[in-house]
Amino acid sequence: MTTTRQDLAYSPSLNHRHLLDSITPSMSFDGGDVSAWQDRLRSQVGTLLGMPGGDRVPLDVRSLWKRRHPLGAIEKIVFTSEPYSDVLAYVCLPDSVEPPYTFFVCVQGHTTGAHNSIAVDRDDNVTPIEVEGDRDFGLGCMRRGIAALCIEQRSFGERRERHQEKVSTHGCHDATMHALMLGRTLLGERVFDVDRGLDYLETRDDVDWSRVGVMGNSGGGTTSLFSAAVLPRITHAMPSCYFCTFRDSLMSIYHCADNYVPGLLQYAEMADVMGLFAPKPVVTVAGARDDIFPIDATRRAFADLKAIYEAAGAGDRCHLVVGSGGHRFYADDAWPVMLRELERAAQ
């Protein structure tokens, strides 16, 4: 019998798919004490993320500008996350409510940067711009009487790579590979920046710590989900266009390298990671026609997540909102659900 080229398993994906079909995540939730399971898995996820450790450096908060906005006040600040890593952020305070404020930490994905959260040009921060897909997160919060801390993620926007001589098309690829060589992940560094953003909020006297959320779309949804999983100060989460199964999203087609956590599938699927947030309220947002996070797989993952929440006695705190389009945030669908959860927290 003659072997043809078509019969030969040359493609790496064939081997990886075989391994994927053979693996059973060893720490997936299978019933029992939710809290004890969370403690075990959260520790493992934290280790795999490779977040920066050691003593935290002073934040050294600096104000770059303050401006009035029709919805309230916006200030652009910079704070130090770790040595040689400064974080810029927009602090958005609505006029429609009195402090202490409900706060959301907002993170953009693969866009031109956090400036989209307040709908201004990235370089001059003055010229208004149109922001597609409801990604003006800071203004969206302010319209609903919520304060926002809009963080620029590493490798995006003004924190894009500008010192390295040659940079990949997506600058996140270089930073991801370098972090891996250092025993870290870029995702873990981004989650750490969110945690340092929470440290900044601790310096303020106008934060309602019973209602401190995290939200973002796509790459921002990635950071939102993992931040909710491992950062205990977060009380509400709204990850958009990321929640799915690893098998049917990250393991099925091309995705940017910053989405990946080495070794994670040995221990958990995405529903397990999001389940570390139970019983706190979560609103997962998806697009019915999102071709990189398929909706059928998202629904299957949500069923697994719902089971974890029900085991934690909080099945009614776990929500899936599906917009009619593709890979974007759906403010009119998602916010009413989250606002009801925020109202419950205030009672």
Side-chain angles (χ1 to χ4, degrees), residues 7 11 17 26 41 67 83 104 120 125 127 158 168 220 233-234 329 345:
D7 296 325
S11 296
R17 177 60 61 172
S26 63
L41 180 57
R67 295 183 190 141
F104 264 72
V120 296
N125 287 181
T127 306
E158 294 191 58
S168 61
R233 288 180 289 186
I234 295 172
F329 184 57

Side-chain angles (χ1 to χ4, degrees), residues 55-92:
D55 294 336
R56 299 194 174 194
V57 300
L59 289 169
D60 189 22
V61 181
R62 289 140 280 169
S63 177
L64 300 183
W65 53 252
K66 296 180 182 179
R67 295 183 190 141
R68 292 295 306 167
H69 185 276
L71 294 170
I74 300 177
E75 180 179 11
K76 185 177 185 180
I77 65 168
V78 174
F79 61 84
T80 298
S81 178
E82 57 175 331
Y84 295 95
S85 185
D86 290 329
V87 181
L88 73 84
Y90 301 99
V91 182
C92 307

Side-chain angles (χ1 to χ4, degrees), residues 112 115-121 127-136 139 143:
T112 50
H115 66 102
N116 288 287
S117 291
I118 61 170
V120 296
D121 178 80
T127 306
I129 62 171
E130 292 292 327
V131 179
E132 297 180 346
D134 294 338
R135 294 184 180 93
D136 55 344
L139 301 186
R143 292 185 193 106

Side-chain angles (χ1 to χ4, degrees), residues 45-312:
V45 171
T47 297
L48 294 176
L49 281 173
M51 291 170 60
D55 294 336
R56 299 194 174 194
V57 300
L59 289 169
D60 189 22
V61 181
R62 289 140 280 169
S63 177
L64 300 183
W65 53 252
K66 296 180 182 179
R67 295 183 190 141
R68 292 295 306 167
H69 185 276
L71 294 170
I74 300 177
E75 180 179 11
K76 185 177 185 180
I77 65 168
V78 174
F79 61 84
T80 298
S81 178
E82 57 175 331
Y84 295 95
S85 185
D86 290 329
V87 181
L88 73 84
Y90 301 99
V91 182
C92 307
L93 305 179
D95 280 345
S96 59
V97 296
E98 295 293 325
Y101 299 108
T102 298
F103 255 95
F104 264 72
V105 179
C106 305
V107 281
Q108 293 285 338
H110 287 78
T111 68
T112 50
H115 66 102
N116 288 287
S117 291
I118 61 170
V120 296
D121 178 80
R122 182 184 67 192
D123 297 322
D124 68 22
N125 287 181
V126 174
T127 306
I129 62 171
E130 292 292 327
V131 179
E132 297 180 346
D134 294 338
R135 294 184 180 93
D136 55 344
F137 301 139
L139 301 186
C141 286
M142 295 174 77
R143 292 185 193 106
R144 294 164 177 86
I146 296 169
L149 178 68
C150 304
I151 286 179
E152 187 82 275
Q153 296 215 77
R154 300 193 195 203
S155 297
F156 295 156
E158 294 191 58
R159 298 182 75 192
R160 65 195 184 277
E161 181 57 53
R162 286 183 279 187
H163 286 267
Q164 185 173 302
E165 182 178 351
K166 295 182 180 180
V167 183
S168 61
T169 302
H170 294 297
C172 58
H173 176 84
D174 306 293
T176 298
M177 296 300 107
H178 298 164
L180 291 176
M181 290 292 284
L182 292 166
R184 295 180 167 200
T185 66
L186 180 59
L187 176 55
E189 293 173 338
R190 289 172 171 173
V191 171
F192 183 73
D193 288 347
V194 171
D195 204 24
R196 293 295 275 156
L198 298 175
D199 287 346
Y200 163 72
L201 292 183
E202 291 272 15
T203 70
R204 302 179 62 97
D205 61 3
D206 58 357
V207 180
D208 178 356
W209 282 97
S210 70
R211 297 188 291 182
V212 174
V214 63
M215 65 178 293
N217 186 76
S218 190
T222 309
T223 301
S224 298
L225 186 147
F226 279 88
S227 294
V230 301
L231 303 182
R233 288 180 289 186
I234 295 172
T235 65
H236 294 73
M238 191 157 53
S240 174
C241 287
Y242 175 70
F243 182 74
C244 191
T245 66
F246 293 132
R247 166 186 289 270
D248 296 287
S249 56
L250 304 187
M251 296 298 291
S252 67
I253 62 171
Y254 168 78
H255 280 265
C256 284
D258 56 354
N259 285 290
Y260 295 82
V261 180
L264 181 55
L265 260 175
Q266 298 178 74
Y267 302 99
E269 251 291 358
M270 198 183 303
D272 300 305
V273 179
M274 188 72 254
L276 296 176
F277 197 56
K280 299 175 184 178
V282 58
V283 178
T284 58
V285 185
R289 299 198 302 274
D290 189 341
D291 59 359
I292 61 175
F293 294 99
I295 190 60
D296 289 345
T298 295
R299 293 188 187 281
R300 291 196 301 273
F302 183 74
D304 292 338
L305 177 62
K306 189 82 166 181
I308 297 171
Y309 266 75
E310 288 174 346

